[in-house]
């Protein structure tokens, strides 16, 4: 299975562990990769399926929507935004902003929101969420991350506030190559994730 680092940190391992308890004889492998790489691994058959924020084109991939993952603004604890219950676009205007890597699903999904907020580009762009948390704590700016990514970038001195903007939630899909049969084991894990599986303590199912 392939999935983004944010989901591979907690959400996927929890479900992998539950699957292993039910099927202890099945070996599991996890690739933590950005969204474009995830689709590439699925397309080439290097993984049975992926968990991804980008469903891919419908001719090549079959995608099942799992849940919608809210987005959060991260800032220093002494930032005025940290005292808010939620923030909107006008609260971000002209604020120095740190980008995540532009080939990742977080940037792709939020770029329109960031542009509409008219943030100030710091010129900083990071691959690792731990680096993002460090830059925010050091006062270089604010950023936006999906909820599952918070555990990777939060630390003492960094606060997270819900982003209350339409379309700020990131849809998460299970993605497989269209027309490709899965093994019995892979099909069982696919069904565990896609058939009646609640989103868990993060994210909400789309109705």
């Amino acid at each position: 299975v392939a999935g983004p680092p944010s989901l591979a940190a907690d959400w996927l391992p929890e479900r992998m562990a539950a699957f292993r308890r039910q099927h202890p004889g099945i070996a599991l492998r996890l690739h933590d990769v950005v969204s474009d790489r995830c689709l590439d691994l699925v397309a080439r058959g290097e993984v049975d399926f992926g968990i991804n924020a980008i469903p891919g084109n419908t001719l090549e991939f079959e995608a099942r929507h799992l849940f919608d993952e809210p987005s959060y603004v991260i800032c220093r604890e002494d930032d005025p935004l940290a005292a808010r219950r939620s923030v909107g676009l006008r609260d971000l205007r002209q604020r120095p902003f740190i980008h995540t890597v532009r080939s990742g699903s977080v940037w792709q999904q939020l770029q329109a929101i960031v542009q509409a907020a008219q943030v100030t580009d710091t010129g900083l762009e990071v691959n690792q969420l731990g680096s993002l948390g460090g830059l925010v704590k050091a006062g270089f700016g604010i950023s936006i991350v999906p909820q599952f990514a918070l555990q990777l970038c939060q630390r003492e001195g960094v606060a997270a506030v819900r982003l209350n903007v339409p379309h700020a939630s990131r849809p998460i899909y299970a993605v497989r190559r269209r027309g490709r049969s899965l093994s019995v084991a892979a099909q069982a894990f696919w069904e565990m994730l896609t058939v009646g599986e609640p989103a868990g303590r993060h994210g909400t199912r789309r109705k």
Side-chain angles (χ1 to χ4, degrees):
V1 181
S6 57
L7 292 178
D10 186 25
W11 189 89
L12 259 174
E14 285 184 357
R15 281 143 185 84
M16 291 170 67
F19 183 77
R20 186 173 60 179
R21 286 193 294 270
Q22 297 176 23
H23 307 279
I26 296 176
L28 295 167
R29 296 176 62 188
L30 174 62
H31 300 255
D32 56 337
V33 292
V34 297
S35 291
D36 291 345
R37 175 64 175 154
C38 178
L39 291 177
D40 182 55
L41 290 174
V42 174
R44 296 195 305 183
E46 294 186 27
V47 298
D48 290 298
F49 60 87
I51 306 300
N52 211 23
I54 299 174
N57 69 76
T58 56
L59 293 177
E60 188 174 5
F61 300 102
E62 173 190 348
R64 300 277 185 90
H65 176 259
L66 299 179
F67 59 89
D68 292 323
E69 183 183 10
S71 295
Y72 282 75
V73 173
I74 58 171
C75 60
R76 285 172 55 98
E77 284 186 344
D78 57 2
D79 191 299
L81 294 180
R84 304 282 298 274
R85 294 188 62 182
S86 64
V87 298
L89 288 183
R90 69 174 58 186
D91 301 308
L92 306 181
R93 190 161 297 160
Q94 303 304 315
R95 295 298 305 270
F97 193 86
I98 305 164
H99 290 279
T100 54
V101 62
R102 301 185 190 226
S103 61
S105 63
V106 176
W107 183 86
Q108 293 178 42
Q109 194 256 327
L110 293 175
Q111 61 174 315
I113 292 173
V114 170
Q115 291 173 359
Q118 299 178 19
V119 299
T120 298
D121 192 346
T122 61
L124 294 169
E125 178 182 322
V126 297
N127 286 289
Q128 304 298 326
L129 291 166
S131 303
L132 183 64
L135 289 169
V136 170
K137 180 180 179 180
F140 284 94
I142 64 172
S143 193
I144 300 173
V145 296
Q147 186 170 8
F148 279 112
L150 289 176
Q151 60 187 315
L152 300 179
C153 57
Q154 272 192 302
R155 61 195 65 198
E156 185 178 355
V158 174
V161 187
R162 178 76 175 263
L163 179 62
N164 187 17
V165 175
H167 310 298
S169 294
R170 181 172 71 156
I172 300 297
Y173 303 90
V175 183
R176 59 194 285 184
R177 194 167 65 183
R178 188 171 294 281
R180 180 187 180 219
S181 297
L182 296 179
S183 67
V184 173
Q187 183 67 34
F189 193 27
W190 170 272
E191 291 179 358
M192 175 183 169
L193 295 177
T194 62
V195 180
E197 166 69 13
R201 67 178 181 273
H202 301 282
T204 55
R205 281 256 183 205
R206 179 182 296 161
K207 297 180 179 178

